[in-house]
Amino acid sequence: MSMNPITFTPIGVIHSPHKSKEGTPIQPSRLQRSSGEVEIFSEFRPGLRDLEGFSKIFLIFHLHAMQESQLEVTPYLDDQTRGVFATRAPSRPNPIGLSLVDLFSIDNGILKVGGLDILDGTPLLDIKPFIPDIDHAEGIKVGWLEDKTHHFRNHQADDRF
Ligand SMILES: C[S@@+](CC[C@H](N)C(=O)[O-])C[C@H]1O[C@@H](n2cnc3c(N)ncnc32)[C@H](O)[C@@H]1O
């Protein structure tokens, strides 16, 4: 079965210190202190009302610098192939990224954020607040990442994607 393509309109753009994929943190990390700004385009700014009370937000974005998708990848932190949907690798059929970042302030449509694993100039598709009672879960299994997740905290991308 095939379905019609879907078109999204970016609501803003992410300004980050990371100019190339290589060397960018592989996940949001406080340890790596990658602060930046999220600029929301003026027509979408009314949607920011009441967001300032949240300290953590999800950024949902277009992995715009990804050129090709792969259904099987050798993810960061591993040396064998995995199905892409069992990873957070950026080379996906629909190149959509999801990062949980710190929200420091909002001023005139500019969000100051921390913990970016996102390239400079990345189009932003959506923002959602992190809500512990909804987004927290216990008794989680992490499959092939068992014993590896602590490496996320201080690991940068290489040139594999
Ligand atoms: C492993 S992905 C994870 C992204 C997000 N946290 C997620 O889980 O969907 C992070 C890597 O994607 C790459 N990346 C970040 N922004 C990108 C963009 N706009 N286009 C292509 N690759 C990007 C960088 O190499 C970064 O280290």
Side-chain angles (χ1 to χ4, degrees):
M1 178 179 154
S2 69
M3 299 181 85
N4 292 333
I6 300 164
T7 304
F8 288 123
T9 301
I11 61 164
V13 61
I14 296 162
H15 303 291
S16 138
H18 306 300
K19 311 295 181 204
S20 68
K21 286 183 256 181
E22 209 172 332
T24 298
I26 60 169
Q27 284 298 331
S29 166
R30 284 187 187 182
L31 292 183
Q32 299 191 57
R33 302 215 174 277
S34 294
S35 301
E37 293 184 347
V38 179
E39 174 187 351
I40 304 300
F41 300 142
S42 55
E43 63 268 41
F44 298 103
R45 289 182 188 173
L48 293 173
R49 185 155 64 86
D50 304 315
L51 186 64
E52 196 149 16
F54 293 86
S55 58
K56 287 262 183 194
I57 56 174
F58 290 108
L59 300 180
I60 298 160
F61 51 94
H62 178 209
L63 291 153
H64 71 306
M66 200 47 58
Q67 261 141 32
E68 54 187 45
S69 71
Q70 298 166 265
L71 292 178
E72 292 180 299
V73 297
T74 305
Y76 301 123
L77 308 183
D78 206 3
D79 55 9
Q80 54 182 294
T81 58
R82 310 283 180 181
V84 71
F85 303 126
T87 77
R88 301 289 286 265
S91 56
R92 323 181 71 79
N94 291 313
I96 292 172
L98 171 73
S99 295
L100 181 63
V101 302
D102 294 310
L103 175 62
F104 299 134
S105 64
I106 305 178
D107 185 22
N108 209 14
I110 306 291
L111 283 59
K112 292 222 186 311
V113 297
L116 289 174
D117 62 341
I118 305 171
L119 287 182
D120 189 43
T122 293
L124 180 71
L125 301 177
D126 203 358
I127 299 173
K128 299 189 189 209
F130 176 81
I131 302 167
D133 283 341
I134 296 173
D135 296 312
H136 177 76
E138 290 174 5
I140 300 301
K141 294 194 291 179
V142 294
W144 65 270
L145 274 162
E146 197 74 54
D147 299 328
K148 295 185 201 287
T149 46
H150 61 286
H151 292 300
F152 278 127
R153 281 178 286 162
N154 202 9
H155 200 101
Q156 284 102 29
D158 52 32
D159 62 356
R160 72 184 73 185
F161 296 114

